[in-house]
Amino acid sequence: MPKTNREISSIFEQMSVLCELNGDNIFKIRAYQKAANVIANLEKNVLEMKEEELLSIRGIGKGIASHIKEIKSNGTFEEFEELKSKYPPGILEIVNLRGLGARRVKVLYEKFHIDSVNKLLEFAKKGKIKEIDGFGEKIEKSIIESIEKKIDMPKRFLFHTAKRMALEIIDYMKNLGYENIEYAGSLRRCKETVGDIDILCVGNQKAIKDFIKSPFVKMVLSEGELKASVILNGEIQCDFRVFKKDEYGAALCYFTGSKQHNIRLREIANKNNFILNEYGLFKNYGSKEKIAGWDEKEIYEKLGLQYIPPELREDSGEIELAIKYKIPKLVDISDIKGDIHCHTSYTDGANSVEEVIDFLAKRYEWSFVGDHSVPLNFVKGLDFKKYISSRKEVSDISRKYSNKQFDRSIETEILKDGNLAFKDEELKEISLVIGAVHTSLRLNKDEQTRRVIRALTNPYCDVVAHLTQRIIMEREEMDMDYEAVFDAAYKSNAVFEINGQPDRLDLKDVNIKKAKSLGLKLVLSSDAHSLEQFDYISYALNNARRAGLCKDDLLNCLSYKDFKNFIKENRKKRGGL
Ligand code: DGT
Ligand code: CA
Ligand code: CA
């Protein structure tokens, strides 16, 4: 039975593909696509919503609402099953391959009887794909690559997915009375993806039993006195370990890792004639007296190191800094004064401008309320006139909040030739221009590099959003000469966004470090499409912290006045009017 929004979204996604194969009209296909997108981005489970609530969501009409009702009682809906029965099951797997799309799948199926991934791979390897009209050599290569990569790809989970599950488990156990319980591993280090969830708890075998009885556990892989390994309902593995109170800090340190970081800590311990393991820090002579164990901070202290935040524990220079007490004060969520990039019901967001402002007013000193620009085929973006009139709406509503500032940003399309979607005279009137690529992601390397450099050196391109266009575990970064892109960015003092959408997190940590090393400023954004998603800014913050950013590196930490001033001065510096 599909239960989560993601699973339900995937049914609608598949439905839209089947409609396309079936030759249905474009509006029907788009309606399913839109529903799939909207549902995937909602926090509240659609199966728990009443019909009125469903209908109040943009992108969910009567038809979709009644399908959801059917899914709730039958696990599927009739129209979907009917259409599915017309095609072989392997065909949907083909559609999921990167960059192929339903239209090409239709050709492959109808003309060449290709109805499974294996048949497709065989066909592609024989070199037959490139001979088909509208396919070509590039697509043939990409089909082979994406099938083979998928086969090899170890299953990992997005940080966002794993964190939500871990918090549910911790909450449940806290309700049973377990006070000291935390997640460790790659999740605590805030990595973009995690292989499994590691949970540590002060307790004994009773805690293991309580955990195994919890409603989240699907299958027990192993169970001992001190550890259980299970598969959770979301298919993710979870290792649950119990410790005594005076071991907890040492365990937290050990199981947070990374492995390389642990090895370095142990070396330092050994040099000082100590023993460090998951139970504590001990003197390595005579009594083996324990000198630290309960408090993780104390372990670092006794090793003569500055405390190292989990996000930096990768043995990538943090130990050397900690020895000298030179770990910088990383930017913290409380330093963030405003968000710059989101979407409202003007384009593909779920909430009105007023709802967005009322929400942000509770959280920030200032914010830019955003939307897409023209021209896009998946959403009707704003033209210049609509931008100006909607900015007036933002400023009218923001009068409710005398001590806060709200302004209007626009995610401005970077066209295929690198020009922005507006003329210079228009751009200079726009409060905040966030340049972004959404289409023509597969230009050849030179063209793509030229296009992006042209956009980011435009004096009015105040921020470059999701530069690389990667989707974690789904889509590679755009093929560009990144050296050249960063070089141009340096020369023109470009500002890069760190986008917090859980599957984007774009820029990633290495690129952020690169930007910082060039002295460039960056800016975090949630890119929220609904109110719940404003929290996604914390995921962007994770990337920033892993890259060692401080308050001064991020424009979000400026006051509104200083932010506006920075943008104005930067436009001037970059040759704008
Ligand atoms: P993941 O789960 O692949 O995303 O990555 P981690 O880092 O969570 O790795 P995991 O779950 O295998 O182990 C959790 C932590 O336990 C790891 O970060 C460091 C520690 N650890 C595990 N195995 C070893 C080991 O053989 N040696 C050392 N020093 N530490 C280990
Ligand atoms: Ca792990
Ligand atoms: Ca583990």
Side-chain angles (χ1 to χ4, degrees), residues 156 184-187 189 194-198 237 239 241 255:
R156 294 185 68 81
S186 50
L187 190 59
R189 303 200 310 280
V194 309
D196 71 353
I197 298 175
D198 300 280
Q237 183 175 324
D239 291 341
R241 294 179 174 87
F255 288 103

Side-chain angles (χ1 to χ4, degrees), residues 215-490:
F216 316 107
V217 173
K218 183 173 172 185
M219 190 168 77
V220 179
L221 299 172
S222 66
E223 181 188 347
E225 275 175 42
L226 299 175
K227 178 188 170 192
S229 282
V230 307
I231 302 288
L232 300 172
N233 286 328
E235 300 301 329
I236 189 166
Q237 183 175 324
C238 179
D239 291 341
F240 185 93
R241 294 179 174 87
V242 291
F243 291 91
K244 298 198 193 90
K245 197 155 180 175
D246 72 343
E247 299 165 344
Y248 187 59
L252 199 55
C253 182
Y254 181 89
F255 288 103
T256 295
S258 62
K259 205 165 152 180
Q260 284 68 25
H261 179 87
N262 288 353
I263 292 170
R264 294 294 308 276
L265 290 186
R266 217 162 38 220
E267 279 170 11
I268 293 172
N270 293 345
K271 260 193 216 146
N272 288 291
N273 215 4
F274 294 147
I275 297 173
L276 175 64
N277 58 30
E278 60 265 55
Y279 307 107
L281 182 67
F282 304 87
K283 286 187 179 165
N284 193 18
Y285 38 77
S287 62
K288 300 261 182 291
E289 184 195 339
K290 188 173 205 167
I291 51 176
W294 153 246
D295 183 13
E296 190 190 47
K297 289 207 162 78
E298 213 177 349
I299 305 232
Y300 286 93
E301 202 182 299
K302 296 273 161 68
L303 289 174
L305 299 173
Q306 186 184 354
Y307 177 75
I308 302 175
E311 293 92 329
L312 297 180
R313 301 184 194 172
E314 302 292 343
D315 188 22
S316 54
E318 79 280 8
I319 303 272
E320 288 71 17
L321 289 174
I323 291 172
K324 293 184 267 177
Y325 273 70
K326 288 257 168 72
I327 298 266
K329 186 172 174 347
L330 300 183
V331 56
D332 186 78
I333 194 80
S334 61
D335 296 323
I336 305 300
K337 296 192 160 77
D339 196 345
I340 60 146
H341 180 177
C342 65
H343 298 264
T344 76
S345 49
Y346 268 96
T347 60
D348 56 351
N351 300 91
S352 68
V353 167
E354 180 149 24
E355 285 165 338
V356 166
I357 291 178
D358 289 345
F359 183 86
L360 289 172
K362 288 187 224 134
R363 184 169 289 197
Y364 295 126
E365 288 179 15
W366 55 265
S367 274
F368 284 81
V369 179
D371 266 306
H372 283 290
S373 83
V374 282
L376 279 174
N377 49 19
F378 60 90
V379 61
K380 197 166 179 309
L382 307 185
D383 59 19
F384 182 66
K385 247 173 94 183
K386 199 89 180 257
Y387 166 79
I388 295 291
S389 64
S390 62
R391 182 172 64 185
K392 169 105 182 17
E393 186 183 338
V394 169
S395 91
D396 288 346
I397 295 168
S398 71
R399 265 190 224 115
K400 284 204 266 188
Y401 303 99
S402 57
N403 56 347
K404 312 252 164 185
Q405 279 89 24
F406 294 97
D407 204 333
R408 184 87 161 131
S409 58
I410 187 157
E411 188 179 10
T412 309
E413 278 315 293
I414 296 176
L415 307 176
K416 202 169 161 184
D417 60 6
N419 280 319
L420 297 182
F422 300 108
K423 295 185 267 236
D424 275 4
E425 306 88 87
E426 294 170 340
L427 288 170
K428 75 178 206 290
E429 297 301 321
I430 293 176
S431 309
L432 185 67
V433 175
I434 304 174
V437 165
H438 288 100
T439 54
S440 304
L441 306 186
R442 287 156 162 261
L443 293 182
N444 76 42
K445 189 169 174 173
D446 285 349
E447 277 179 289
Q448 197 70 278
T449 306
R450 238 177 295 131
R451 171 199 200 184
V452 169
I453 288 180
R454 184 171 177 134
L456 67 80
T457 53
N458 181 318
Y460 300 105
C461 185
D462 302 313
V463 174
V464 183
H466 42 68
L467 172 75
T468 76
Q469 276 296 337
R470 62 107 175 236
I471 305 283
I472 299 174
M473 295 185 287
E474 269 180 48
R475 188 167 75 201
E476 301 288 327
E477 299 178 347
M478 280 197 306
D479 193 16
M480 293 194 285
D481 179 349
Y482 283 92
E483 260 323 287
V485 167
F486 277 105
D487 192 43
Y490 169 69

Side-chain angles (χ1 to χ4, degrees), residues 456 463-464 467 486 489 494-498 507 515 520-523:
L456 67 80
V463 174
V464 183
L467 172 75
F486 277 105
V495 175
F496 288 113
E497 172 198 66
I498 306 172
L507 301 178
L520 297 175
K521 300 282 180 210
L522 296 105
V523 64

Side-chain angles (χ1 to χ4, degrees), residues 6-133:
R6 195 149 274 283
E7 287 162 334
I8 293 157
S9 157
S10 148
I11 294 181
F12 289 122
E13 184 73 48
Q14 293 176 39
M15 183 66 188
S16 80
V17 170
L18 290 169
C19 288
E20 189 150 353
L21 288 174
N22 198 41
D24 286 335
N25 79 48
I26 185 76
F27 297 105
K28 189 166 173 188
I29 298 168
R30 282 213 191 122
Y32 283 116
Q33 260 165 6
K34 171 109 191 175
N37 273 340
V38 168
I39 292 168
N41 284 317
L42 290 172
E43 287 296 285
K44 186 167 171 191
N45 191 307
V46 286
L47 298 181
E48 287 160 17
M49 294 187 190
K50 294 218 178 74
E51 191 176 359
E52 309 87 77
E53 198 176 354
L54 283 172
L55 291 176
S56 73
I57 300 169
R58 261 173 63 96
I60 299 189
K62 279 231 159 83
I64 301 284
S66 92
H67 292 327
I68 292 174
K69 205 168 145 199
E70 243 185 293
I71 293 172
K72 191 171 174 179
S73 43
N74 305 332
T76 181
F77 61 97
E78 210 182 317
E79 217 181 316
F80 178 56
E81 289 302 312
E82 248 170 49
L83 208 48
K84 227 167 48 173
S85 67
K86 285 171 97 178
Y87 297 93
I91 209 147
L92 284 171
E93 283 170 42
I94 303 184
V95 179
N96 289 336
L97 293 176
R98 186 157 42 112
L100 206 51
R103 238 163 289 159
R104 291 204 183 94
V105 174
K106 192 175 155 98
V107 174
L108 289 168
Y109 175 58
E110 288 176 354
K111 290 211 176 132
F112 303 95
H113 311 292
I114 299 209
D115 58 5
S116 72
V117 170
N118 285 341
K119 277 192 199 166
L120 178 63
L121 183 59
E122 206 179 306
F123 194 70
K125 282 195 162 165
K126 282 188 193 148
K128 294 198 166 165
I129 299 275
K130 62 174 176 290
E131 291 163 12
I132 310 172
D133 241 12

